[in-house]
Amino acid sequence: MAIEGRDDKRGRRIRLGMVGGGQGAFIGAVHRLAARIDDRFELVAGALSSTPEKAKASAAEIGLDPARSYGAYEEMARAEKEREDGIEAVAIVTPNHMHFPVAKTFLEAGYHVICDKPVTTTKAEAEELGEIVKRSGKAFALTHNYTGYPMIRQARAMIEAGELGAIRIVKAEYIQDFLATKVEDTGSKQATWRVDPSKAGAGGTIGDVGTHAFNLACFATGLTVDSLACELTSFGEGRVLDDNAQMLLRFKERDGVAAKGSLWASQVAVGHENGLSLVIVGTKGGLSWHQEDPNKLWFTPLNEPKQLLTRAGASGLDAANRVTRVPAGHPEGYLEGFATLYAEAADLIAALDEGRTPPEGLRVVTIEDGIEGMAFIEACVKSSKSDGAWTKL
Amino acid sequence: MAIEGRDDKRGRRIRLGMVGGGQGAFIGAVHRLAARIDDRFELVAGALSSTPEKAKASAAEIGLDPARSYGAYEEMARAEKEREDGIEAVAIVTPNHMHFPVAKTFLEAGYHVICDKPVTTTKAEAEELGEIVKRSGKAFALTHNYTGYPMIRQARAMIEAGELGAIRIVKAEYIQDFLATKVEDTGSKQATWRVDPSKAGAGGTIGDVGTHAFNLACFATGLTVDSLACELTSFGEGRVLDDNAQMLLRFKERDGVAAKGSLWASQVAVGHENGLSLVIVGTKGGLSWHQEDPNKLWFTPLNEPKQLLTRAGASGLDAANRVTRVPAGHPEGYLEGFATLYAEAADLIAALDEGRTPPEGLRVVTIEDGIEGMAFIEACVKSSKSDGAWTKL
Amino acid sequence: MAIEGRDDKRGRRIRLGMVGGGQGAFIGAVHRLAARIDDRFELVAGALSSTPEKAKASAAEIGLDPARSYGAYEEMARAEKEREDGIEAVAIVTPNHMHFPVAKTFLEAGYHVICDKPVTTTKAEAEELGEIVKRSGKAFALTHNYTGYPMIRQARAMIEAGELGAIRIVKAEYIQDFLATKVEDTGSKQATWRVDPSKAGAGGTIGDVGTHAFNLACFATGLTVDSLACELTSFGEGRVLDDNAQMLLRFKERDGVAAKGSLWASQVAVGHENGLSLVIVGTKGGLSWHQEDPNKLWFTPLNEPKQLLTRAGASGLDAANRVTRVPAGHPEGYLEGFATLYAEAADLIAALDEGRTPPEGLRVVTIEDGIEGMAFIEACVKSSKSDGAWTKL
Amino acid sequence: MAIEGRDDKRGRRIRLGMVGGGQGAFIGAVHRLAARIDDRFELVAGALSSTPEKAKASAAEIGLDPARSYGAYEEMARAEKEREDGIEAVAIVTPNHMHFPVAKTFLEAGYHVICDKPVTTTKAEAEELGEIVKRSGKAFALTHNYTGYPMIRQARAMIEAGELGAIRIVKAEYIQDFLATKVEDTGSKQATWRVDPSKAGAGGTIGDVGTHAFNLACFATGLTVDSLACELTSFGEGRVLDDNAQMLLRFKERDGVAAKGSLWASQVAVGHENGLSLVIVGTKGGLSWHQEDPNKLWFTPLNEPKQLLTRAGASGLDAANRVTRVPAGHPEGYLEGFATLYAEAADLIAALDEGRTPPEGLRVVTIEDGIEGMAFIEACVKSSKSDGAWTKL
């Protein structure tokens, strides 16, 4: 192991605007931090809240130029076009229902877009957005941030290299407990919109964290889900949307095997903070990974002792090492994984702007992945309403 | 914590015979060891194999009196009745298909029976056996041995005491990898009968380990499964029985909540030796337990830090402490858990023989539990054949 | 991995007596359980307490023939000689100060001896006992029970095979918290004699658990301690003996390297139940093992990923597999490790009685190891009194 | 737990220069990343290498204005004074021997200084630097970065609040394996200077990582080391400096107890990547923390179950929460811990510049801590040369 740090700039800083992410928000602050880590973006404008006063106060709090703090995202899209130093890309960190209109506006205005997940509130919207992205020629990056963890990249590379043989079983879990009680009745901004179908869409927990688990299972294995049999439950009294989702999965055949799977997403699972995990079983080996201990990947080659693969450690593959910043044993975490998505988005944006082929090895999560995610949510809802009938995505 | 050991005899030694468990067997040796640990049984006779020479050789190997090594179990049932020092109870450790005829024979001949799981090969047989047990007035103890682990007793007692509130979610897993390759083609005695429907019954993995997971989930929570939606798979080429089973569970309502669950049983899960685990989520707390680390129970009271409860440690409840032998930090394991089933069977047998009420706190797994287990297997098979339709037990 | 159990008898049952181990004792119960597990001994007589009534009551509790329950050990030594079915071996499980007189008596009377540790209360006594053992021609087995854990055998075999290269560093810890408060003032029998120099000898914690750590470090590595620099502390108010010991170690040179070490023994370490652990560093690899998780051994070959070696699992060596009873993933624990010492003592006794060479692979802890242990305790005390001066063993 | 992110700016961005940290360096990149995370600094100038071409190339790589990339640090100190937008603070990330002259130069020129550890190469230098800092009136922050981990802050706050009672024992370890082989012979820049006394000072491993362990033990407990008994070893053939250090510690009395301790620092400990850990034992509770799993703190209140305290989780204290950025279960790591030092240095600098009292709760590591660290290294060397005699700091 080389004891070296990494802080190389692979290109110039891109001027970034943000929609959403004002006071009381969670993911906006995360995007800002993540964008800074690798220094590929400079946040210079924002429409941080749909409430003008709150937008202003939020901008002040994070040191944004007041002249570039906008009360409405449409205004930002217009005004920044007028500036020589106007933004080149926008990060969308609003509740789900605003993703589509904002993304549409900025893509059609010629901006690159980095968008939080789930991509929209319906599959139809997502498909329409897909067309818009295609027409725009701009970059669209969906922040399924867990794809940025080095050991997830390692898992994917190992599977691509055949180290697991044919995949037979995939188990994905994303379990939290922040909705174990009726926190939406206590005024929590985070809880309130997540349980409201007009803002969150048709999926509650399944949209909020289930899509992450779904995306990650597909990302890591390279498999495609064919159909699912789902049971959605709302344990919280009076909740309209699901707060717990359990399902079985059938994957499309690959390497002569049609893998089976299961997925559990919950936000009432008392005792679990952010329990995203994957277990992957192949004919020649098994992997397991837990988000709360992200620098480790457990690998068992068939009939051999289990190995503990570590980020930047012995057996680290290029695909993992290229998205790591500090030596083995110096934990990287959630923000660094998120930062990798920003760094790769920057690489993509720079390449598009300069008419170059993007560098190899980028793993930007695309609008197609977003459409798959919406198909997943809709299939979950449909299956659950049909008493768990197997439902195609 | 008191630093004390426990080796008190609570009664006389019961004379035991064994059917099955000859050379090459696994579970027979385990039963013999388990029976010795608390010194409540004395193994004095056996019909260790259906092959007479092998029965003889096996008996010699474990130091059994040659005069009491029988070539056929029926012979043992008859001959031991003639002796003043004849056996009082029999342990049945054969492949599944022999459980029923052997149990029937010995119960009807007036012996107590300790029987390995699954109890029979069909639910109908199990129900018939239930009648036989009832008529016999003898003890019948099913060795779902994982119920003997102290921290499982602790979990059950905590749930009974309301420490988790209403149960919302139960996840049970029992995943192994010993059938990841076609070991049945290599002559392994253990593998061969397990994949053969004429010996194992209708369930492969679901019968071998799935029933343990099902039983344990019910034992720990006290809940009853109402119905399940199951996907059985045979990954091993040419295997008739399942080697992987995934399912969703609906429990019957209790405390105003109808809990949801999932269960994964596998014997192709590369990287997992004997991965039996439970996650239990209630409105007021969560528990998790892993068989490979059985002295620990993780408990998270709602909105409090997670606690690591240890066998015989701080917060150990009577229900757990009474089935433990050595102080905290001195690991007890699989054999000790198994031994508790024998000790409790002895308590039950002694009470029945002496016309006493059995001591409080016994948790002997009954023929009713066995019938439930067969109902489970049959529901799994039926649901899987109906494309995962929800199926009542 | 073969999924098989093991319960083969490798010889006849040896008739055993016990001195000490009456009501309220800890280790006596453990010896009895351990002796039963592999069925090589039959406990038939006892002098379980120096108080006759207590001896009687204790004997009744464990089902001992009242005629063979003795009020004094000398009586048992004499009386059992008269019987045709008299005991052949004795297990000594008294407080430390009685080990020497009892062992002397029984060895000189022609019995084999299994003795708890530390072997005596002074090195001089231990050396005298060494002479007595030699003259007697009888087996003497010291129950440093942690040497019986399969993964400790695995570690030793790996080091013997050179898998770690030359050993550079050894860290041993044995930390508990049962003396964190003044439990000796509460009437705890276990605590009371352990803090009393007239019963425990010159070492408190260093004798009670420190000797285990010392013995295990030497057993696993095969190294010999040359000298040590020790700091003994009595944190408990008014305690005469140490309840915490920290020291540095210098080992004798082997393979061109004089290894360095450290050892921490404590009984006031709040948060630690029975925290015995080893870290071993060589030029080519590193190992670590924790008693509370005894079925696992962590192995890192130089510049390779860490491996999790498991009892009876992939990469299990013969030296470990021969002392294991159930398949990988079915945890064995403290009692099974202890049982291995009894099984091996039985093998040794049988061989001596029959004039045979004992079977290969036995790892009986000898009186020489006991003498080393006493040298260790005395060196600790001497070094600590000399302000931590390096002191030869 | 509130599910909120934090990205509030508590002040303006400070203009920063850097000395050292050019190509091939490890810690320079880390400082740059850490400085960006909370957006309190803007890196605008650098003397990144003492080789002018390398300085230039390094500056280009990280996007520094070529006009402000200097070939010599003295030049930067002078030239930046001339600019209106000149740097206000400097980060010193050179090998150890340059810390003193560079810090002296910049402090005397009126800049604030952030300096990597160990502060100098001798205690005398450190004391001289202490005088310079005092005269300068400028901020001096030493980057013992592990003090920035939230769960270390939690530990400190818990101890200050008396939750552990009087501290009895402290165990600190910092073990790595990157010098297990003679990597310095392979041209590794990182290894080469670390084993060279003219660049590293009198301590090898003890200076490189031992000082971190020493600092952290004191920081977390608030205790002061009185004296130590040390054994330094150079296992690598021909190495002049230590690559392994083991020692016993005596702390000064507090709360009526003089705590005892041990410290192990190693860079030859095969199997350990960055194994910094603390075990702290008090009369009323125990704590343990491991750097490779930094979001967790294990707490055992006397006679209660062990608790797993998590960053931003239940039981998180203000002292910990104020230095955390994302919710519980979203791991923060090494860079975030390091970033906290930069954020707190910014708070200190801003307060000094504006003549304000710094905000409460800052935990900037001071020159006094640096002097203690040098006293520690010198005591280690002195004790080891005196055959481990107890040596005052």
Side-chain angles (χ1 to χ4, degrees):
Chain A
M1 181 212 58
I3 182 167
E4 276 176 39
R6 186 173 65 73
D7 179 35
D8 55 322
K9 288 222 186 31
R10 287 161 293 174
R12 61 179 185 79
R13 296 211 291 173
I14 293 160
R15 294 181 303 276
L16 182 71
M18 178 169 276
V19 180
Q23 291 169 330
F26 156 54
I27 208 65
V30 167
H31 278 252
R32 292 192 295 268
L33 271 159
R36 279 203 295 274
I37 284 180
D38 291 326
D39 207 18
R40 303 290 303 280
F41 290 88
E42 186 175 15
L43 181 67
V44 293
L48 301 181
S49 171
S50 48
T51 315
E53 301 74 48
K54 200 169 159 192
K56 204 171 173 178
S58 303
E61 212 167 64
I62 62 166
L64 218 55
D65 178 356
R68 298 176 79 176
S69 164
Y70 302 93
Y73 69 89
E74 300 92 334
E75 192 193 337
M76 179 162 82
R78 272 194 311 270
E80 289 288 320
K81 273 286 150 192
E82 310 299 312
R83 301 179 64 110
E84 196 153 316
D85 64 349
I87 62 170
E88 302 161 86
V90 71
I92 305 175
V93 295
T94 62
N96 305 345
H97 67 304
M98 296 302 296
H99 292 178
F100 177 74
V102 179
K104 181 175 190 305
T105 300
F106 280 85
L107 283 166
E108 292 182 343
Y111 296 98
H112 302 285
V113 168
I114 295 167
C115 184
D116 211 70
K117 45 51 62 189
V119 67
T120 56
T121 53
T122 66
K123 188 181 166 202
E125 269 183 359
E127 286 169 338
E128 188 181 338
L129 190 59
E131 294 304 313
I132 297 169
V133 170
K134 208 175 296 170
R135 281 199 302 273
S136 75
K138 293 293 164 186
F140 182 88
L142 192 63
T143 52
H144 272 303
N145 55 291
Y146 300 107
T147 63
Y149 273 121
M151 298 321 279
I152 288 293
R153 302 291 176 100
Q154 173 91 13
R156 177 175 165 133
M158 290 173 69
I159 290 170
E160 285 174 352
E163 291 197 48
L164 262 68
I167 303 301
R168 287 175 158 175
I169 310 165
V170 181
K171 185 183 75 160
E173 286 184 9
Y174 198 151
I175 55 178
Q176 302 181 324
D177 63 5
F178 98 105
L179 296 178
T181 58
K182 294 289 296 303
V183 282
E184 62 266 43
D185 298 348
T186 66
S188 154
K189 174 178 169 177
Q190 293 306 317
T192 310
W193 74 258
R194 279 178 167 80
V195 302
D196 176 353
S198 75
K199 294 193 173 152
T205 289
I206 199 65
D208 194 24
V209 299
T211 46
H212 272 309
F214 167 79
N215 173 267
L216 198 65
C218 296
F219 181 86
T221 62
L223 293 175
T224 306
V225 172
D226 177 75
S227 51
L228 54 79
C230 180
E231 175 90 336
L232 298 179
T233 311
S234 302
F235 283 109
E237 204 189 322
R239 267 185 203 143
V240 177
L241 295 178
D242 60 286
D243 52 25
N244 189 70
Q246 287 158 298
M247 74 194 69
L248 305 181
L249 303 171
R250 291 177 182 159
F251 291 89
K252 293 193 174 147
E253 190 173 312
R254 194 181 64 186
D255 304 326
V257 175
K260 301 296 177 72
S262 66
L263 188 151
W264 177 23
S266 187
Q267 290 178 315
V268 300
V270 178
H272 300 272
E273 294 180 334
N274 200 36
L276 171 62
S277 66
L278 283 183
V279 173
I280 304 171
V281 173
T283 50
K284 292 169 53 184
L287 288 176
S288 76
W289 179 84
H290 294 258
Q291 188 273 150
E292 297 194 3
D293 204 7
N295 296 280
K296 295 175 185 160
L297 178 68
W298 294 94
F299 172 47
T300 312
L302 182 67
N303 297 330
E304 293 184 26
K306 198 180 285 292
Q307 296 177 8
L308 176 55
L309 309 185
T310 56
R311 189 190 48 73
S315 293
L317 297 176
D318 280 353
N321 292 343
R322 64 183 291 285
V323 295
T324 183
R325 294 159 191 82
V326 279
H330 299 70
E332 293 195 12
Y334 176 83
L335 291 170
E336 290 83 352
F338 217 118
T340 289
L341 271 71
Y342 267 87
E344 295 192 336
D347 282 342
L348 177 62
I349 289 170
L352 288 177
D353 284 355
E354 299 165 20
R356 285 187 288 104
T357 306
E360 271 195 50
L362 292 192
R363 297 280 175 257
V364 175
V365 183
T366 65
I367 180 65
E368 280 72 35
D369 300 313
I371 295 169
E372 274 296 290
M374 294 314 299
F376 166 75
I377 294 172
E378 296 196 354
C380 287
V381 172
K382 186 175 166 198
S383 170
S384 189
K385 285 188 177 157
S386 323
D387 200 32
W390 282 99
T391 303
K392 294 267 181 192
L393 255 70
Chain B
M1 180 213 57
I3 181 166
E4 276 175 39
R6 186 173 65 74
D7 178 36
D8 55 323
K9 288 220 184 33
R10 288 160 293 173
R12 62 175 186 80
R13 295 210 292 174
I14 293 159
R15 295 182 301 277
L16 183 70
M18 178 168 276
V19 180
Q23 293 170 327
F26 156 54
I27 206 69
V30 166
H31 278 251
R32 292 192 295 269
L33 272 158
R36 277 203 297 273
I37 283 180
D38 290 327
D39 208 17
R40 304 289 304 279
F41 290 89
E42 186 176 15
L43 181 68
V44 293
L48 302 180
S49 170
S50 49
T51 314
E53 301 74 47
K54 199 168 161 193
K56 204 171 175 178
S58 301
E61 212 166 65
I62 63 166
L64 217 55
D65 177 356
R68 298 175 79 176
S69 163
Y70 300 93
Y73 70 88
E74 300 91 335
E75 194 193 336
M76 179 162 81
R78 271 193 311 271
E80 289 287 321
K81 273 287 152 194
E82 308 298 314
R83 301 179 65 110
E84 198 153 316
D85 64 349
I87 63 171
E88 301 161 88
V90 71
I92 305 175
V93 296
T94 61
N96 305 346
H97 68 303
M98 296 302 296
H99 292 178
F100 177 74
V102 178
K104 183 176 190 303
T105 299
F106 279 85
L107 284 166
E108 292 182 344
Y111 296 97
H112 301 285
V113 168
I114 295 166
C115 184
D116 211 72
K117 44 53 57 188
V119 68
T120 54
T121 53
T122 67
K123 188 182 166 201
E125 270 183 358
E127 286 169 336
E128 189 181 338
L129 190 57
E131 294 303 314
I132 296 167
V133 170
K134 209 175 296 171
R135 282 197 303 273
S136 75
K138 294 293 164 184
F140 182 88
L142 192 63
T143 51
H144 273 303
N145 55 290
Y146 300 108
T147 63
Y149 274 120
M151 299 320 279
I152 287 294
R153 301 291 176 100
Q154 173 90 14
R156 178 176 164 132
M158 290 172 69
I159 290 168
E160 285 174 353
E163 293 196 46
L164 263 67
I167 303 301
R168 287 175 158 175
I169 309 167
V170 182
K171 184 183 78 161
E173 286 185 8
Y174 198 151
I175 56 178
Q176 303 182 322
D177 62 6
F178 98 104
L179 295 178
T181 58
K182 294 289 296 304
V183 281
E184 62 267 43
D185 298 348
T186 66
S188 154
K189 174 178 168 176
Q190 292 308 316
T192 310
W193 77 257
R194 278 177 168 81
V195 302
D196 176 354
S198 75
K199 295 194 171 149
T205 289
I206 198 64
D208 194 24
V209 300
T211 45
H212 271 309
F214 167 78
N215 172 268
L216 197 65
C218 296
F219 181 87
T221 61
L223 293 175
T224 306
V225 171
D226 176 76
S227 51
L228 54 79
C230 180
E231 174 91 335
L232 299 179
T233 311
S234 302
F235 282 110
E237 204 189 323
R239 270 185 202 144
V240 177
L241 296 177
D242 61 286
D243 51 25
N244 189 70
Q246 287 157 297
M247 75 195 68
L248 305 181
L249 303 171
R250 290 176 182 160
F251 291 89
K252 293 193 172 145
E253 188 173 314
R254 195 182 64 186
D255 303 327
V257 175
K260 301 296 176 75
S262 67
L263 188 151
W264 176 24
S266 186
Q267 291 179 313
V268 299
V270 179
H272 301 272
E273 293 181 334
N274 199 36
L276 171 61
S277 66
L278 284 183
V279 173
I280 304 172
V281 173
T283 49
K284 291 170 53 184
L287 287 176
S288 76
W289 178 84
H290 294 259
Q291 188 272 152
E292 298 195 4
D293 205 7
N295 296 280
K296 296 176 184 158
L297 177 68
W298 295 94
F299 172 47
T300 313
L302 183 66
N303 297 330
E304 292 185 25
K306 196 180 287 293
Q307 297 177 9
L308 177 56
L309 309 185
T310 56
R311 190 191 46 75
S315 293
L317 298 176
D318 280 352
N321 291 344
R322 66 181 291 284
V323 295
T324 183
R325 294 158 190 82
V326 280
H330 299 70
E332 293 196 12
Y334 175 83
L335 291 170
E336 289 84 351
F338 217 118
T340 289
L341 272 72
Y342 266 87
E344 295 192 335
D347 282 343
L348 177 62
I349 289 169
L352 287 177
D353 285 354
E354 300 165 20
R356 287 186 287 105
T357 307
E360 270 194 51
L362 291 193
R363 296 280 175 257
V364 175
V365 183
T366 66
I367 179 66
E368 280 72 36
D369 300 313
I371 294 169
E372 273 296 291
M374 295 313 301
F376 166 75
I377 295 173
E378 295 195 356
C380 287
V381 172
K382 186 174 165 198
S383 170
S384 189
K385 285 190 176 155
S386 320
D387 201 32
W390 282 98
T391 302
K392 293 267 180 192
L393 254 69
Chain C
M1 180 212 57
I3 179 166
E4 277 176 39
R6 187 172 65 74
D7 179 34
D8 56 323
K9 289 221 182 34
R10 288 161 293 176
R12 63 177 183 79
R13 297 210 291 175
I14 293 159
R15 295 182 301 277
L16 182 71
M18 178 169 277
V19 180
Q23 293 169 327
F26 156 54
I27 208 65
V30 167
H31 278 252
R32 291 192 296 268
L33 272 159
R36 279 204 296 274
I37 283 180
D38 290 328
D39 207 18
R40 304 291 305 279
F41 290 88
E42 186 175 15
L43 181 68
V44 292
L48 301 181
S49 169
S50 48
T51 315
E53 300 74 49
K54 198 167 158 194
K56 206 170 173 177
S58 302
E61 212 167 64
I62 62 166
L64 218 55
D65 178 355
R68 298 175 81 176
S69 164
Y70 301 92
Y73 70 87
E74 300 90 334
E75 195 193 336
M76 178 162 83
R78 271 195 310 271
E80 289 286 322
K81 272 287 151 195
E82 309 298 315
R83 301 179 64 110
E84 197 151 315
D85 65 349
I87 62 170
E88 302 161 88
V90 71
I92 306 174
V93 295
T94 61
N96 304 346
H97 68 302
M98 296 301 296
H99 293 177
F100 177 74
V102 179
K104 182 175 189 303
T105 299
F106 279 85
L107 284 166
E108 292 181 344
Y111 296 97
H112 302 285
V113 169
I114 295 166
C115 184
D116 211 72
K117 47 49 59 188
V119 68
T120 55
T121 53
T122 67
K123 188 182 167 201
E125 270 183 356
E127 286 169 337
E128 189 181 338
L129 189 58
E131 293 304 315
I132 296 168
V133 170
K134 208 175 297 171
R135 281 199 304 271
S136 75
K138 293 293 164 185
F140 183 89
L142 192 64
T143 52
H144 273 301
N145 55 291
Y146 300 107
T147 64
Y149 274 121
M151 299 321 279
I152 288 293
R153 300 292 175 99
Q154 173 92 12
R156 179 177 164 134
M158 288 173 70
I159 291 169
E160 284 174 353
E163 292 196 46
L164 264 68
I167 304 301
R168 286 174 161 177
I169 310 165
V170 182
K171 184 184 77 159
E173 286 185 9
Y174 197 151
I175 56 178
Q176 304 182 322
D177 62 7
F178 96 104
L179 295 178
T181 58
K182 292 290 298 302
V183 282
E184 63 267 41
D185 297 348
T186 67
S188 153
K189 175 178 168 177
Q190 293 306 317
T192 310
W193 75 256
R194 278 177 167 81
V195 303
D196 175 354
S198 76
K199 294 192 173 152
T205 289
I206 199 64
D208 194 24
V209 299
T211 46
H212 272 308
F214 167 78
N215 172 268
L216 197 65
C218 296
F219 181 85
T221 61
L223 292 175
T224 306
V225 171
D226 177 76
S227 51
L228 55 79
C230 180
E231 176 90 336
L232 298 179
T233 311
S234 302
F235 282 109
E237 202 189 322
R239 269 186 202 141
V240 178
L241 295 178
D242 60 287
D243 52 25
N244 189 70
Q246 288 158 296
M247 73 195 68
L248 306 180
L249 304 171
R250 290 175 182 162
F251 291 88
K252 292 192 173 149
E253 188 173 316
R254 194 181 65 186
D255 304 325
V257 174
K260 300 297 176 74
S262 66
L263 188 151
W264 177 24
S266 185
Q267 291 178 316
V268 299
V270 178
H272 300 272
E273 294 180 335
N274 200 35
L276 171 62
S277 66
L278 283 182
V279 174
I280 304 171
V281 174
T283 49
K284 290 170 52 184
L287 288 176
S288 76
W289 178 85
H290 294 259
Q291 188 275 151
E292 297 195 4
D293 204 7
N295 296 279
K296 296 176 185 159
L297 178 67
W298 294 95
F299 172 47
T300 312
L302 182 67
N303 297 330
E304 292 183 26
K306 196 180 288 292
Q307 298 177 9
L308 176 55
L309 309 185
T310 56
R311 189 192 48 74
S315 293
L317 297 176
D318 280 352
N321 292 343
R322 68 181 291 284
V323 295
T324 183
R325 294 158 191 84
V326 280
H330 299 70
E332 293 195 13
Y334 176 82
L335 291 170
E336 289 84 351
F338 217 117
T340 289
L341 271 70
Y342 266 87
E344 294 192 336
D347 282 343
L348 177 61
I349 289 170
L352 287 176
D353 284 355
E354 300 165 20
R356 286 186 288 104
T357 306
E360 270 195 52
L362 293 191
R363 296 282 174 257
V364 175
V365 182
T366 66
I367 180 65
E368 281 72 35
D369 300 314
I371 296 169
E372 274 296 292
M374 295 313 301
F376 166 76
I377 294 172
E378 296 195 354
C380 286
V381 173
K382 186 174 166 199
S383 171
S384 188
K385 285 189 178 157
S386 320
D387 201 33
W390 282 98
T391 304
K392 293 268 180 190
L393 255 67
Chain D
M1 179 213 57
I3 181 168
E4 279 177 36
R6 187 173 65 74
D7 179 37
D8 57 320
K9 290 220 182 37
R10 288 162 291 176
R12 62 177 185 78
R13 296 211 291 174
I14 293 160
R15 294 181 303 276
L16 183 71
M18 178 170 276
V19 180
Q23 292 168 329
F26 155 55
I27 207 66
V30 167
H31 278 251
R32 290 191 298 266
L33 272 158
R36 277 202 297 273
I37 283 179
D38 291 327
D39 207 19
R40 305 290 304 280
F41 290 89
E42 185 176 17
L43 181 67
V44 292
L48 301 182
S49 169
S50 50
T51 315
E53 299 75 46
K54 198 167 159 192
K56 204 170 174 177
S58 303
E61 212 166 64
I62 62 167
L64 216 56
D65 177 356
R68 297 173 80 175
S69 163
Y70 301 92
Y73 70 88
E74 301 91 335
E75 193 193 336
M76 178 162 82
R78 270 194 311 271
E80 290 287 320
K81 274 285 151 194
E82 310 298 315
R83 301 178 65 111
E84 198 152 314
D85 64 350
I87 62 171
E88 301 161 89
V90 71
I92 305 175
V93 296
T94 62
N96 306 344
H97 68 302
M98 295 303 295
H99 292 176
F100 176 74
V102 178
K104 182 176 191 301
T105 299
F106 279 85
L107 285 165
E108 293 181 344
Y111 296 98
H112 301 286
V113 168
I114 295 167
C115 184
D116 211 72
K117 46 51 56 188
V119 67
T120 55
T121 52
T122 67
K123 189 183 166 200
E125 269 183 358
E127 288 170 336
E128 189 181 340
L129 189 59
E131 294 303 314
I132 295 168
V133 170
K134 207 174 297 170
R135 281 198 303 272
S136 74
K138 294 293 165 185
F140 182 89
L142 192 63
T143 52
H144 273 302
N145 54 291
Y146 301 108
T147 63
Y149 273 121
M151 298 320 279
I152 287 294
R153 301 290 176 100
Q154 173 92 12
R156 177 174 165 137
M158 290 173 69
I159 291 169
E160 284 174 354
E163 293 196 46
L164 264 66
I167 303 300
R168 285 174 160 177
I169 310 165
V170 182
K171 184 183 78 159
E173 286 185 7
Y174 198 152
I175 56 179
Q176 303 181 323
D177 62 6
F178 97 104
L179 295 179
T181 58
K182 293 291 295 302
V183 281
E184 63 266 43
D185 297 348
T186 67
S188 153
K189 175 177 168 177
Q190 293 307 317
T192 309
W193 76 257
R194 277 176 168 81
V195 302
D196 175 354
S198 76
K199 294 190 173 154
T205 289
I206 200 64
D208 193 24
V209 298
T211 45
H212 272 308
F214 167 79
N215 173 267
L216 198 65
C218 297
F219 181 87
T221 62
L223 293 175
T224 306
V225 172
D226 176 76
S227 51
L228 54 81
C230 180
E231 175 90 336
L232 299 179
T233 311
S234 302
F235 282 110
E237 204 189 321
R239 269 185 203 144
V240 178
L241 296 177
D242 60 287
D243 51 25
N244 189 69
Q246 287 157 297
M247 74 195 68
L248 306 180
L249 304 170
R250 290 176 181 161
F251 291 88
K252 292 190 175 150
E253 189 173 313
R254 193 182 66 185
D255 303 325
V257 175
K260 300 297 177 75
S262 68
L263 188 152
W264 177 23
S266 186
Q267 292 177 314
V268 300
V270 178
H272 301 272
E273 293 179 336
N274 200 35
L276 172 62
S277 66
L278 283 182
V279 173
I280 304 171
V281 173
T283 51
K284 292 171 54 186
L287 288 176
S288 76
W289 179 84
H290 294 259
Q291 190 274 150
E292 298 195 3
D293 204 7
N295 295 279
K296 297 175 183 158
L297 177 67
W298 294 94
F299 172 46
T300 312
L302 183 66
N303 297 330
E304 294 184 26
K306 196 180 288 292
Q307 297 176 8
L308 177 55
L309 309 184
T310 55
R311 187 191 49 73
S315 291
L317 298 175
D318 280 353
N321 292 343
R322 65 182 292 284
V323 295
T324 183
R325 294 159 191 83
V326 279
H330 300 69
E332 293 196 11
Y334 176 82
L335 291 170
E336 288 85 350
F338 216 118
T340 289
L341 272 71
Y342 267 86
E344 295 192 334
D347 282 343
L348 177 61
I349 289 170
L352 288 177
D353 284 355
E354 301 164 19
R356 287 187 287 104
T357 306
E360 269 195 52
L362 293 192
R363 295 283 175 255
V364 175
V365 183
T366 66
I367 181 66
E368 281 71 35
D369 300 312
I371 295 168
E372 273 296 291
M374 296 313 301
F376 166 75
I377 295 173
E378 296 194 356
C380 287
V381 172
K382 186 174 165 198
S383 170
S384 187
K385 284 189 176 156
S386 321
D387 200 33
W390 282 97
T391 303
K392 294 267 182 191
L393 254 68

